[in-house]
Amino acid sequence: MNFLLATINVTWYLLPLAAIVSLVYSASRFELPDRILRRSLTLFLQIMGCMAAIFAVLWLLSYGL
């Protein structure tokens, strides 16, 4: 069991965490379920895009170290 937990990369936790944060934030701002889901998806994509951009910048800065 410990071997399975040791092989899982912690960055995979970012996907459900971003989805939950965007869903809860959207649910607290809007009332209609359709609007909540659309805004939540948009916010999720924005969060993932920002994290990908930050990862790319950090990867470029650390290249060759």
Side-chain angles (χ1 to χ4, degrees):
M1 183 68 171
N2 287 337
F3 176 74
L4 179 63
L5 292 176
T7 59
I8 296 174
N9 193 348
V10 84
T11 55
W12 286 109
Y13 292 126
L14 293 175
L15 293 171
L17 181 63
I20 290 170
V21 166
S22 65
L23 188 60
V24 169
Y25 179 75
S26 297
S28 68
R29 304 266 305 175
F30 305 108
E31 292 184 13
L32 299 173
D34 185 44
R35 177 97 185 222
I36 291 171
L37 291 176
R38 279 189 284 123
R39 179 63 183 145
S40 177
L41 180 62
T42 304
L43 186 58
F44 173 76
L45 293 174
Q46 287 176 348
I47 290 171
M48 295 308 293
C50 288
M51 285 195 298
I54 291 170
F55 174 77
V57 168
L58 291 175
W59 183 75
L60 287 173
L61 290 174
S62 68
Y63 186 75
L65 289 180

